[in-house]
Amino acid sequence: MPPPVTGLPEVAGGWPEDPVARVLLDSGVPHLDREFDYLVPRSLDDDARPGVRVRVRFGHQDVLGWLTSRGSEPSTGAKLLPLRSVVSPEPVLTPEILDLARAVAARYAGNVADVLRVAVPPRVAKVEKALNAEAEAPEATGTPAARSFSGATAAEGFDWSPLTGAEAFFQQIRAGDGPRAALTVPSAHGAWDTASLLADAAARTAEAGRAAVVVVPDQRDLERLCRALDRRVGPEGYARLTADDGPTPRYRAFLQLRRGLRRIAVGTRSAIWAPVEHPGLVAVWNDDDSLHAEQRSPYQHVRDVALVRSELAGAGLLLASTSRTPEVQRMVESGWLGELGVGRETIHAVTPRVVSTADSWETERDPLLARARLPQAAWKAAREGLEGKHGAPGPVLVQVGRSGFIPALICRDCGTPARCRHCTGPLGFPDRTSSARNEAACRWCGRRERHFECPECDSSRLRAGSRGVDRTAEELGRAFPNLPVLSSSGDHILATVDDAPALVVATIGAEPVVPGGYATALLLDGDSQLQREGLRTPGQVLSRWFAAAALVRSRQDGGVVVVTASQEDVVGALVRMDPAGYASRQLAERRELHLPPAVRMAEVSGPANAVTAFMDLVELPGASKELPWIGPVPVEDWASGEGRGGTGGGSGPAGSAEPLRHRALLFFPYGAARSVVEALRAARSASSARRLTEPVRLRIDPFDLP
């Protein structure tokens, strides 16, 4: 019988060894973000292991939680309650993932439980039973990793020789080190196929006896990566983690990784938390994609989670993209992140020729350039690409900035944007039928507007303020009547198209891949995209242009990209194919202005009184006390509908009684980041515990910068 434990009541048979379980509640309440002590009954001793899900009594209800550890002594003198039950004996929460979740929660001033809700998928009991049965089968011989990676050299790998430093990078991984590097890929097809690049990087890591985690933004990228992995390591050599597959396949892949049956984990955003054993490489593709930003508290970004995980696990880090973000450039310039370099000769050889319709040569030869959406140079390039004048004929990509038919309308006489009379939302023509009937619809409330009257000039005439993908496809279909016109946007996104001549009209991020590359790409609506508000707007627009240009053939094969924008700095970076140079200039400007990513930032938003009260609760330490808050000021949150038509009188959307949303910002240096974020987190917890104000939203380094 184990000796009695100090402070615990005596029970028949005594307590099991280490009878005190420390449980992290699965709760989003900030002041409950800590571990609580519970007793482990002898009946649950075998199953109550660290990492399992448990059910406990808290207050007047049963709640779920995570058993993080067991000990012999309670941390307080309070009376302890026993565990109610062990939900599953499967230890799904590994110590590494728990440490990572704690570090990410500390970085983003969030709750550990909120992070774990993203990291660990919901339980599917039948999956656990099936895997247990497979493990007990007589044919299950040999080590799990050996069984799952028997086809590791099934196909020839990616050619890394043009990349300076690549061989040294993989040598360090094989030696058990954790090298860190950024890679800007000049092309995304043919010999530079990005899926093959990522698949080979993961396979090389697995061949060295270490695990690899590869995260891509969306399902299309994941499907291409999985096809490349099927060729490189075979379908049994990796596991894919994505919510789009459904709960059963996702949980099965999760357990395969947790039990060491797979060495390679690939997937979308949540795959960064894959519970692999002995990680050797964490790779993220296109960190500038908004899909990498978590939409739930604490709003962490995959890139930052990858940075923290590579440091904690001593794993290699690879941030690859066709462009370069200022965040990555800052780490490169500081020396924290190395580079896998691509020489200028190689870039020139594999990239297309870029033509700007705003340069002086084109302006002199096209008198209607300033008013034309598709200038003469773009028409000419499209026709030559379809006819194969400078190479083999092939498809032409037309990238547009908006989905729909005519998403925005303006007054024909004075140019005032057309707004809904009920909610002040933007009016547009959702399809061709509504345009023919002159029946506008509000994009916010959906109401139809048949008798528009301009509030400025009383005119009832409307014209297109912008054209969407459907309208563009219709116009191009009339201009090229004998060619197929394919549309890719919204719910109808094409993954690939063949090499036959065709017009492919796609919204940003929905561009299909062509095996041999597009003959030509037309990047439309550049000026309208660059005019949108946001600190990240120019860099994001350029990133999308680079992604589209990477799908086009090389200039030796006749590939041409035509961009219709007049902002010289952004367009010039595309013409020179110099994403790193532009990111460096952006970073230098941010340093002068003390803006992210040169500094870090916190955003507090909510009702004005709640934001002000929260600011008063924040006790900044030391020299950070002098950091000035900016705001609170009213903001318009178009995505949620708050602030539409607000007039500053405390009212929200027209006709509603909701308070207008306010926001306050705090900028702080990296050297003070830990103490400042701790102060913000403490204020959030205190506000929750005292219930002094309405809840506010706290975001650290938000991706959608104001």
Side-chain angles (χ1 to χ4, degrees), residues 220 373 397-404 467-470 472 486-494 504-512 525 529 544 548 551:
R220 292 189 311 142
R373 184 178 183 231
L397 172 65
V398 183
Q399 185 194 71
V400 297
R402 307 288 291 272
S403 59
R467 292 175 175 85
V469 62
D470 297 335
T472 304
L486 308 177
S487 178
S488 179
S489 68
D491 296 331
H492 181 66
I493 296 180
L494 303 176
V504 182
V505 187
T507 51
I508 293 167
E511 303 90 348
D525 308 325
Q529 295 180 52
R544 294 158 181 167
L551 301 175

PDB file of all heavy atoms in Angstrom, residues 220 373 397-404 467-470 472 486-494 504-512 525 529 544 548 551:
ATOM      1  N   ARG A 220      -6.550  23.598 -52.325  1.00  0.00           N
ATOM      2  CA  ARG A 220      -5.935  23.370 -53.648  1.00  0.00           C
ATOM      3  C   ARG A 220      -4.439  23.116 -53.503  1.00  0.00           C
ATOM      4  O   ARG A 220      -3.892  22.199 -54.128  1.00  0.00           O
ATOM      5  CB  ARG A 220      -6.171  24.576 -54.559  1.00  0.00           C
ATOM      6  CG  ARG A 220      -7.616  24.790 -54.971  1.00  0.00           C
ATOM      7  CD  ARG A 220      -7.692  25.863 -56.037  1.00  0.00           C
ATOM      8  NE  ARG A 220      -6.927  27.034 -55.647  1.00  0.00           N
ATOM      9  CZ  ARG A 220      -6.196  27.778 -56.478  1.00  0.00           C
ATOM     10  NH1 ARG A 220      -6.109  27.465 -57.751  1.00  0.00           N
ATOM     11  NH2 ARG A 220      -5.551  28.840 -56.048  1.00  0.00           N
ATOM     12  N   ARG A 373      -9.943  49.743 -69.197  1.00  0.00           N
ATOM     13  CA  ARG A 373      -9.666  48.710 -68.207  1.00  0.00           C
ATOM     14  C   ARG A 373      -8.691  47.688 -68.760  1.00  0.00           C
ATOM     15  O   ARG A 373      -7.875  47.132 -68.026  1.00  0.00           O
ATOM     16  CB  ARG A 373     -10.976  48.029 -67.798  1.00  0.00           C
ATOM     17  CG  ARG A 373     -10.778  47.000 -66.688  1.00  0.00           C
ATOM     18  CD  ARG A 373     -12.082  46.385 -66.290  1.00  0.00           C
ATOM     19  NE  ARG A 373     -11.912  45.461 -65.186  1.00  0.00           N
ATOM     20  CZ  ARG A 373     -12.373  44.222 -65.166  1.00  0.00           C
ATOM     21  NH1 ARG A 373     -13.060  43.754 -66.197  1.00  0.00           N
ATOM     22  NH2 ARG A 373     -12.186  43.448 -64.132  1.00  0.00           N
ATOM     23  N   LEU A 397      -4.149  33.743 -68.622  1.00  0.00           N
ATOM     24  CA  LEU A 397      -4.738  34.007 -67.318  1.00  0.00           C
ATOM     25  C   LEU A 397      -5.128  35.480 -67.231  1.00  0.00           C
ATOM     26  O   LEU A 397      -4.322  36.367 -67.534  1.00  0.00           O
ATOM     27  CB  LEU A 397      -3.742  33.672 -66.208  1.00  0.00           C
ATOM     28  CG  LEU A 397      -4.148  34.069 -64.784  1.00  0.00           C
ATOM     29  CD1 LEU A 397      -5.371  33.286 -64.332  1.00  0.00           C
ATOM     30  CD2 LEU A 397      -2.983  33.869 -63.823  1.00  0.00           C
ATOM     31  N   VAL A 398      -6.359  35.740 -66.803  1.00  0.00           N
ATOM     32  CA  VAL A 398      -6.830  37.101 -66.570  1.00  0.00           C
ATOM     33  C   VAL A 398      -7.208  37.187 -65.094  1.00  0.00           C
ATOM     34  O   VAL A 398      -8.217  36.630 -64.671  1.00  0.00           O
ATOM     35  CB  VAL A 398      -8.037  37.454 -67.462  1.00  0.00           C
ATOM     36  CG1 VAL A 398      -8.450  38.900 -67.234  1.00  0.00           C
ATOM     37  CG2 VAL A 398      -7.702  37.216 -68.925  1.00  0.00           C
ATOM     38  N   GLN A 399      -6.383  37.877 -64.308  1.00  0.00           N
ATOM     39  CA  GLN A 399      -6.623  38.007 -62.876  1.00  0.00           C
ATOM     40  C   GLN A 399      -7.409  39.284 -62.603  1.00  0.00           C
ATOM     41  O   GLN A 399      -6.999  40.374 -63.005  1.00  0.00           O
ATOM     42  CB  GLN A 399      -5.299  38.038 -62.109  1.00  0.00           C
ATOM     43  CG  GLN A 399      -5.459  38.040 -60.602  1.00  0.00           C
ATOM     44  CD  GLN A 399      -4.177  38.405 -59.887  1.00  0.00           C
ATOM     45  OE1 GLN A 399      -3.744  39.561 -59.916  1.00  0.00           O
ATOM     46  NE2 GLN A 399      -3.548  37.424 -59.239  1.00  0.00           N
ATOM     47  N   VAL A 400      -8.550  39.145 -61.931  1.00  0.00           N
ATOM     48  CA  VAL A 400      -9.381  40.298 -61.591  1.00  0.00           C
ATOM     49  C   VAL A 400      -9.507  40.392 -60.078  1.00  0.00           C
ATOM     50  O   VAL A 400      -9.325  39.405 -59.352  1.00  0.00           O
ATOM     51  CB  VAL A 400     -10.778  40.201 -62.240  1.00  0.00           C
ATOM     52  CG1 VAL A 400     -10.663  40.213 -63.747  1.00  0.00           C
ATOM     53  CG2 VAL A 400     -11.503  38.944 -61.787  1.00  0.00           C
ATOM     54  N   GLY A 401      -9.825  41.584 -59.610  1.00  0.00           N
ATOM     55  CA  GLY A 401      -9.824  41.824 -58.175  1.00  0.00           C
ATOM     56  C   GLY A 401     -11.121  41.508 -57.468  1.00  0.00           C
ATOM     57  O   GLY A 401     -11.147  41.418 -56.245  1.00  0.00           O
ATOM     58  N   ARG A 402     -12.227  41.344 -58.206  1.00  0.00           N
ATOM     59  CA  ARG A 402     -13.518  41.170 -57.557  1.00  0.00           C
ATOM     60  C   ARG A 402     -14.260  39.981 -58.148  1.00  0.00           C
ATOM     61  O   ARG A 402     -14.121  39.665 -59.321  1.00  0.00           O
ATOM     62  CB  ARG A 402     -14.390  42.425 -57.733  1.00  0.00           C
ATOM     63  CG  ARG A 402     -13.734  43.727 -57.297  1.00  0.00           C
ATOM     64  CD  ARG A 402     -13.619  43.838 -55.799  1.00  0.00           C
ATOM     65  NE  ARG A 402     -14.905  44.005 -55.169  1.00  0.00           N
ATOM     66  CZ  ARG A 402     -15.490  45.192 -54.969  1.00  0.00           C
ATOM     67  NH1 ARG A 402     -14.888  46.308 -55.386  1.00  0.00           N
ATOM     68  NH2 ARG A 402     -16.654  45.267 -54.354  1.00  0.00           N
ATOM     69  N   SER A 403     -15.080  39.336 -57.328  1.00  0.00           N
ATOM     70  CA  SER A 403     -15.952  38.273 -57.808  1.00  0.00           C
ATOM     71  C   SER A 403     -17.291  38.877 -58.213  1.00  0.00           C
ATOM     72  O   SER A 403     -17.521  40.087 -58.075  1.00  0.00           O
ATOM     73  CB  SER A 403     -16.153  37.226 -56.715  1.00  0.00           C
ATOM     74  OG  SER A 403     -16.727  37.824 -55.563  1.00  0.00           O
ATOM     75  N   GLY A 404     -18.208  38.050 -58.704  1.00  0.00           N
ATOM     76  CA  GLY A 404     -19.525  38.532 -59.087  1.00  0.00           C
ATOM     77  C   GLY A 404     -19.554  39.123 -60.481  1.00  0.00           C
ATOM     78  O   GLY A 404     -18.639  38.945 -61.297  1.00  0.00           O
ATOM     79  N   ARG A 467     -15.833  45.922 -62.125  1.00  0.00           N
ATOM     80  CA  ARG A 467     -16.352  44.744 -62.819  1.00  0.00           C
ATOM     81  C   ARG A 467     -15.795  43.491 -62.168  1.00  0.00           C
ATOM     82  O   ARG A 467     -14.605  43.412 -61.882  1.00  0.00           O
ATOM     83  CB  ARG A 467     -15.981  44.780 -64.305  1.00  0.00           C
ATOM     84  CG  ARG A 467     -16.694  45.882 -65.082  1.00  0.00           C
ATOM     85  CD  ARG A 467     -16.190  45.929 -66.516  1.00  0.00           C
ATOM     86  NE  ARG A 467     -16.923  46.884 -67.321  1.00  0.00           N
ATOM     87  CZ  ARG A 467     -16.643  48.172 -67.387  1.00  0.00           C
ATOM     88  NH1 ARG A 467     -15.640  48.656 -66.676  1.00  0.00           N
ATOM     89  NH2 ARG A 467     -17.356  48.984 -68.149  1.00  0.00           N
ATOM     90  N   GLY A 468     -16.688  42.525 -61.982  1.00  0.00           N
ATOM     91  CA  GLY A 468     -16.287  41.280 -61.361  1.00  0.00           C
ATOM     92  C   GLY A 468     -15.853  40.249 -62.381  1.00  0.00           C
ATOM     93  O   GLY A 468     -15.810  40.493 -63.591  1.00  0.00           O
ATOM     94  N   VAL A 469     -15.568  39.049 -61.882  1.00  0.00           N
ATOM     95  CA  VAL A 469     -15.037  37.992 -62.736  1.00  0.00           C
ATOM     96  C   VAL A 469     -16.061  37.562 -63.787  1.00  0.00           C
ATOM     97  O   VAL A 469     -15.697  37.278 -64.940  1.00  0.00           O
ATOM     98  CB  VAL A 469     -14.577  36.798 -61.867  1.00  0.00           C
ATOM     99  CG1 VAL A 469     -15.731  36.189 -61.101  1.00  0.00           C
ATOM    100  CG2 VAL A 469     -13.886  35.741 -62.701  1.00  0.00           C
ATOM    101  N   ASP A 470     -17.345  37.537 -63.431  1.00  0.00           N
ATOM    102  CA  ASP A 470     -18.360  37.096 -64.397  1.00  0.00           C
ATOM    103  C   ASP A 470     -18.521  38.099 -65.531  1.00  0.00           C
ATOM    104  O   ASP A 470     -18.651  37.720 -66.698  1.00  0.00           O
ATOM    105  CB  ASP A 470     -19.696  36.882 -63.686  1.00  0.00           C
ATOM    106  CG  ASP A 470     -19.625  35.782 -62.642  1.00  0.00           C
ATOM    107  OD1 ASP A 470     -18.758  34.898 -62.793  1.00  0.00           O
ATOM    108  OD2 ASP A 470     -20.415  35.802 -61.687  1.00  0.00           O
ATOM    109  N   THR A 472     -16.248  40.249 -66.536  1.00  0.00           N
ATOM    110  CA  THR A 472     -15.017  40.210 -67.327  1.00  0.00           C
ATOM    111  C   THR A 472     -15.021  39.024 -68.272  1.00  0.00           C
ATOM    112  O   THR A 472     -14.628  39.140 -69.445  1.00  0.00           O
ATOM    113  CB  THR A 472     -13.799  40.130 -66.387  1.00  0.00           C
ATOM    114  OG1 THR A 472     -13.831  41.232 -65.478  1.00  0.00           O
ATOM    115  CG2 THR A 472     -12.505  40.179 -67.189  1.00  0.00           C
ATOM    116  N   LEU A 486     -12.994  30.219 -69.370  1.00  0.00           N
ATOM    117  CA  LEU A 486     -13.173  29.504 -68.109  1.00  0.00           C
ATOM    118  C   LEU A 486     -13.150  30.499 -66.958  1.00  0.00           C
ATOM    119  O   LEU A 486     -12.331  31.418 -66.934  1.00  0.00           O
ATOM    120  CB  LEU A 486     -12.069  28.464 -67.918  1.00  0.00           C
ATOM    121  CG  LEU A 486     -11.852  27.491 -69.083  1.00  0.00           C
ATOM    122  CD1 LEU A 486     -10.682  26.568 -68.784  1.00  0.00           C
ATOM    123  CD2 LEU A 486     -13.113  26.683 -69.349  1.00  0.00           C
ATOM    124  N   SER A 487     -14.035  30.310 -65.997  1.00  0.00           N
ATOM    125  CA  SER A 487     -14.124  31.204 -64.842  1.00  0.00           C
ATOM    126  C   SER A 487     -13.795  30.429 -63.572  1.00  0.00           C
ATOM    127  O   SER A 487     -14.263  29.303 -63.377  1.00  0.00           O
ATOM    128  CB  SER A 487     -15.533  31.799 -64.750  1.00  0.00           C
ATOM    129  OG  SER A 487     -15.643  32.635 -63.617  1.00  0.00           O
ATOM    130  N   SER A 488     -12.980  31.026 -62.705  1.00  0.00           N
ATOM    131  CA  SER A 488     -12.583  30.385 -61.446  1.00  0.00           C
ATOM    132  C   SER A 488     -12.695  31.399 -60.318  1.00  0.00           C
ATOM    133  O   SER A 488     -11.894  32.339 -60.233  1.00  0.00           O
ATOM    134  CB  SER A 488     -11.153  29.851 -61.551  1.00  0.00           C
ATOM    135  OG  SER A 488     -10.741  29.250 -60.336  1.00  0.00           O
ATOM    136  N   SER A 489     -13.699  31.219 -59.459  1.00  0.00           N
ATOM    137  CA  SER A 489     -13.888  32.134 -58.334  1.00  0.00           C
ATOM    138  C   SER A 489     -14.936  31.564 -57.399  1.00  0.00           C
ATOM    139  O   SER A 489     -15.693  30.652 -57.762  1.00  0.00           O
ATOM    140  CB  SER A 489     -14.353  33.511 -58.820  1.00  0.00           C
ATOM    141  OG  SER A 489     -15.663  33.438 -59.351  1.00  0.00           O
ATOM    142  N   GLY A 490     -14.992  32.117 -56.193  1.00  0.00           N
ATOM    143  CA  GLY A 490     -16.040  31.768 -55.241  1.00  0.00           C
ATOM    144  C   GLY A 490     -16.145  30.279 -54.985  1.00  0.00           C
ATOM    145  O   GLY A 490     -15.179  29.602 -54.630  1.00  0.00           O
ATOM    146  N   ASP A 491     -17.375  29.767 -55.187  1.00  0.00           N
ATOM    147  CA  ASP A 491     -17.632  28.345 -54.952  1.00  0.00           C
ATOM    148  C   ASP A 491     -17.212  27.468 -56.123  1.00  0.00           C
ATOM    149  O   ASP A 491     -17.261  26.237 -56.024  1.00  0.00           O
ATOM    150  CB  ASP A 491     -19.124  28.118 -54.669  1.00  0.00           C
ATOM    151  CG  ASP A 491     -19.562  28.805 -53.378  1.00  0.00           C
ATOM    152  OD1 ASP A 491     -18.713  28.945 -52.490  1.00  0.00           O
ATOM    153  OD2 ASP A 491     -20.739  29.199 -53.293  1.00  0.00           O
ATOM    154  N   HIS A 492     -16.829  28.086 -57.233  1.00  0.00           N
ATOM    155  CA  HIS A 492     -16.429  27.318 -58.416  1.00  0.00           C
ATOM    156  C   HIS A 492     -14.972  27.646 -58.741  1.00  0.00           C
ATOM    157  O   HIS A 492     -14.669  28.496 -59.566  1.00  0.00           O
ATOM    158  CB  HIS A 492     -17.340  27.671 -59.604  1.00  0.00           C
ATOM    159  CG  HIS A 492     -17.008  26.908 -60.860  1.00  0.00           C
ATOM    160  ND1 HIS A 492     -17.168  25.547 -60.971  1.00  0.00           N
ATOM    161  CD2 HIS A 492     -16.505  27.332 -62.060  1.00  0.00           C
ATOM    162  CE1 HIS A 492     -16.787  25.160 -62.185  1.00  0.00           C
ATOM    163  NE2 HIS A 492     -16.377  26.223 -62.849  1.00  0.00           N
ATOM    164  N   ILE A 493     -14.066  26.975 -58.038  1.00  0.00           N
ATOM    165  CA  ILE A 493     -12.635  27.209 -58.216  1.00  0.00           C
ATOM    166  C   ILE A 493     -12.031  26.027 -58.949  1.00  0.00           C
ATOM    167  O   ILE A 493     -12.185  24.876 -58.542  1.00  0.00           O
ATOM    168  CB  ILE A 493     -11.939  27.415 -56.854  1.00  0.00           C
ATOM    169  CG1 ILE A 493     -12.477  28.681 -56.178  1.00  0.00           C
ATOM    170  CG2 ILE A 493     -10.433  27.523 -57.034  1.00  0.00           C
ATOM    171  CD1 ILE A 493     -11.856  28.956 -54.830  1.00  0.00           C
ATOM    172  N   LEU A 494     -11.340  26.324 -60.027  1.00  0.00           N
ATOM    173  CA  LEU A 494     -10.682  25.289 -60.811  1.00  0.00           C
ATOM    174  C   LEU A 494      -9.291  25.032 -60.247  1.00  0.00           C
ATOM    175  O   LEU A 494      -8.555  25.970 -59.942  1.00  0.00           O
ATOM    176  CB  LEU A 494     -10.578  25.720 -62.275  1.00  0.00           C
ATOM    177  CG  LEU A 494     -11.895  26.080 -62.988  1.00  0.00           C
ATOM    178  CD1 LEU A 494     -11.614  26.589 -64.399  1.00  0.00           C
ATOM    179  CD2 LEU A 494     -12.813  24.874 -63.038  1.00  0.00           C
ATOM    180  N   VAL A 504      -8.695  32.147 -69.169  1.00  0.00           N
ATOM    181  CA  VAL A 504      -9.002  31.720 -67.803  1.00  0.00           C
ATOM    182  C   VAL A 504      -9.134  32.976 -66.944  1.00  0.00           C
ATOM    183  O   VAL A 504      -8.147  33.645 -66.657  1.00  0.00           O
ATOM    184  CB  VAL A 504      -7.908  30.798 -67.240  1.00  0.00           C
ATOM    185  CG1 VAL A 504      -8.281  30.342 -65.837  1.00  0.00           C
ATOM    186  CG2 VAL A 504      -7.686  29.604 -68.154  1.00  0.00           C
ATOM    187  N   VAL A 505     -10.355  33.308 -66.558  1.00  0.00           N
ATOM    188  CA  VAL A 505     -10.622  34.499 -65.761  1.00  0.00           C
ATOM    189  C   VAL A 505     -10.781  34.059 -64.310  1.00  0.00           C
ATOM    190  O   VAL A 505     -11.666  33.254 -63.994  1.00  0.00           O
ATOM    191  CB  VAL A 505     -11.886  35.224 -66.251  1.00  0.00           C
ATOM    192  CG1 VAL A 505     -12.049  36.547 -65.514  1.00  0.00           C
ATOM    193  CG2 VAL A 505     -11.814  35.462 -67.752  1.00  0.00           C
ATOM    194  N   ALA A 506      -9.932  34.576 -63.439  1.00  0.00           N
ATOM    195  CA  ALA A 506      -9.909  34.103 -62.051  1.00  0.00           C
ATOM    196  C   ALA A 506      -9.767  35.267 -61.094  1.00  0.00           C
ATOM    197  O   ALA A 506      -9.111  36.270 -61.400  1.00  0.00           O
ATOM    198  CB  ALA A 506      -8.757  33.114 -61.845  1.00  0.00           C
ATOM    199  N   THR A 507     -10.394  35.134 -59.942  1.00  0.00           N
ATOM    200  CA  THR A 507     -10.170  36.102 -58.876  1.00  0.00           C
ATOM    201  C   THR A 507      -8.857  35.781 -58.177  1.00  0.00           C
ATOM    202  O   THR A 507      -8.256  34.728 -58.371  1.00  0.00           O
ATOM    203  CB  THR A 507     -11.324  36.059 -57.860  1.00  0.00           C
ATOM    204  OG1 THR A 507     -11.538  34.702 -57.458  1.00  0.00           O
ATOM    205  CG2 THR A 507     -12.599  36.613 -58.460  1.00  0.00           C
ATOM    206  N   ILE A 508      -8.421  36.697 -57.344  1.00  0.00           N
ATOM    207  CA  ILE A 508      -7.138  36.553 -56.661  1.00  0.00           C
ATOM    208  C   ILE A 508      -7.157  35.327 -55.744  1.00  0.00           C
ATOM    209  O   ILE A 508      -8.073  35.145 -54.948  1.00  0.00           O
ATOM    210  CB  ILE A 508      -6.836  37.820 -55.851  1.00  0.00           C
ATOM    211  CG1 ILE A 508      -6.604  38.995 -56.800  1.00  0.00           C
ATOM    212  CG2 ILE A 508      -5.637  37.619 -54.950  1.00  0.00           C
ATOM    213  CD1 ILE A 508      -6.600  40.331 -56.134  1.00  0.00           C
ATOM    214  N   GLY A 509      -6.178  34.470 -55.905  1.00  0.00           N
ATOM    215  CA  GLY A 509      -6.073  33.261 -55.103  1.00  0.00           C
ATOM    216  C   GLY A 509      -6.795  32.067 -55.675  1.00  0.00           C
ATOM    217  O   GLY A 509      -6.670  30.968 -55.149  1.00  0.00           O
ATOM    218  N   ALA A 510      -7.557  32.263 -56.765  1.00  0.00           N
ATOM    219  CA  ALA A 510      -8.307  31.156 -57.369  1.00  0.00           C
ATOM    220  C   ALA A 510      -7.746  30.772 -58.726  1.00  0.00           C
ATOM    221  O   ALA A 510      -8.422  30.124 -59.521  1.00  0.00           O
ATOM    222  CB  ALA A 510      -9.784  31.545 -57.508  1.00  0.00           C
ATOM    223  N   GLU A 511      -6.517  31.154 -59.032  1.00  0.00           N
ATOM    224  CA  GLU A 511      -5.929  30.884 -60.335  1.00  0.00           C
ATOM    225  C   GLU A 511      -5.584  29.400 -60.470  1.00  0.00           C
ATOM    226  O   GLU A 511      -4.837  28.857 -59.653  1.00  0.00           O
ATOM    227  CB  GLU A 511      -4.652  31.713 -60.533  1.00  0.00           C
ATOM    228  CG  GLU A 511      -4.844  33.215 -60.397  1.00  0.00           C
ATOM    229  CD  GLU A 511      -4.641  33.716 -58.980  1.00  0.00           C
ATOM    230  OE1 GLU A 511      -4.575  32.855 -58.059  1.00  0.00           O
ATOM    231  OE2 GLU A 511      -4.548  34.932 -58.786  1.00  0.00           O
ATOM    232  N   PRO A 512      -6.111  28.727 -61.492  1.00  0.00           N
ATOM    233  CA  PRO A 512      -5.750  27.314 -61.705  1.00  0.00           C
ATOM    234  C   PRO A 512      -4.299  27.175 -62.159  1.00  0.00           C
ATOM    235  O   PRO A 512      -3.688  28.135 -62.654  1.00  0.00           O
ATOM    236  CB  PRO A 512      -6.713  26.849 -62.802  1.00  0.00           C
ATOM    237  CG  PRO A 512      -7.696  27.946 -62.983  1.00  0.00           C
ATOM    238  CD  PRO A 512      -7.073  29.202 -62.484  1.00  0.00           C
ATOM    239  N   ASP A 525      -7.144  45.620 -62.783  1.00  0.00           N
ATOM    240  CA  ASP A 525      -7.673  46.318 -61.600  1.00  0.00           C
ATOM    241  C   ASP A 525      -6.589  46.614 -60.574  1.00  0.00           C
ATOM    242  O   ASP A 525      -6.858  46.678 -59.369  1.00  0.00           O
ATOM    243  CB  ASP A 525      -8.791  45.495 -60.935  1.00  0.00           C
ATOM    244  CG  ASP A 525      -9.876  45.069 -61.911  1.00  0.00           C
ATOM    245  OD1 ASP A 525     -10.170  45.861 -62.828  1.00  0.00           O
ATOM    246  OD2 ASP A 525     -10.415  43.964 -61.761  1.00  0.00           O
ATOM    247  N   GLN A 529      -7.103  47.960 -56.575  1.00  0.00           N
ATOM    248  CA  GLN A 529      -6.640  47.134 -55.459  1.00  0.00           C
ATOM    249  C   GLN A 529      -5.679  47.898 -54.555  1.00  0.00           C
ATOM    250  O   GLN A 529      -5.745  47.812 -53.324  1.00  0.00           O
ATOM    251  CB  GLN A 529      -5.956  45.878 -55.982  1.00  0.00           C
ATOM    252  CG  GLN A 529      -6.864  44.921 -56.725  1.00  0.00           C
ATOM    253  CD  GLN A 529      -6.100  43.707 -57.213  1.00  0.00           C
ATOM    254  OE1 GLN A 529      -5.410  43.046 -56.451  1.00  0.00           O
ATOM    255  NE2 GLN A 529      -6.202  43.413 -58.500  1.00  0.00           N
ATOM    256  N   ARG A 544       0.278  38.870 -54.574  1.00  0.00           N
ATOM    257  CA  ARG A 544      -0.664  38.187 -55.463  1.00  0.00           C
ATOM    258  C   ARG A 544      -0.195  38.258 -56.907  1.00  0.00           C
ATOM    259  O   ARG A 544      -0.397  37.327 -57.689  1.00  0.00           O
ATOM    260  CB  ARG A 544      -2.048  38.808 -55.304  1.00  0.00           C
ATOM    261  CG  ARG A 544      -2.650  38.569 -53.920  1.00  0.00           C
ATOM    262  CD  ARG A 544      -3.719  39.569 -53.582  1.00  0.00           C
ATOM    263  NE  ARG A 544      -4.286  39.351 -52.255  1.00  0.00           N
ATOM    264  CZ  ARG A 544      -5.064  40.232 -51.637  1.00  0.00           C
ATOM    265  NH1 ARG A 544      -5.349  41.383 -52.223  1.00  0.00           N
ATOM    266  NH2 ARG A 544      -5.552  39.960 -50.443  1.00  0.00           N
ATOM    267  N   ALA A 548       0.746  35.035 -59.350  1.00  0.00           N
ATOM    268  CA  ALA A 548       0.201  34.832 -60.693  1.00  0.00           C
ATOM    269  C   ALA A 548       1.315  34.747 -61.727  1.00  0.00           C
ATOM    270  O   ALA A 548       1.275  33.911 -62.641  1.00  0.00           O
ATOM    271  CB  ALA A 548      -0.764  35.967 -61.039  1.00  0.00           C
ATOM    272  N   LEU A 551       3.039  31.443 -62.341  1.00  0.00           N
ATOM    273  CA  LEU A 551       2.324  30.423 -63.101  1.00  0.00           C
ATOM    274  C   LEU A 551       2.533  30.560 -64.603  1.00  0.00           C
ATOM    275  O   LEU A 551       2.006  29.749 -65.372  1.00  0.00           O
ATOM    276  CB  LEU A 551       0.823  30.506 -62.792  1.00  0.00           C
ATOM    277  CG  LEU A 551       0.410  30.314 -61.329  1.00  0.00           C
ATOM    278  CD1 LEU A 551      -1.086  30.542 -61.182  1.00  0.00           C
ATOM    279  CD2 LEU A 551       0.786  28.922 -60.838  1.00  0.00           C
TER     280      LEU A 551
END
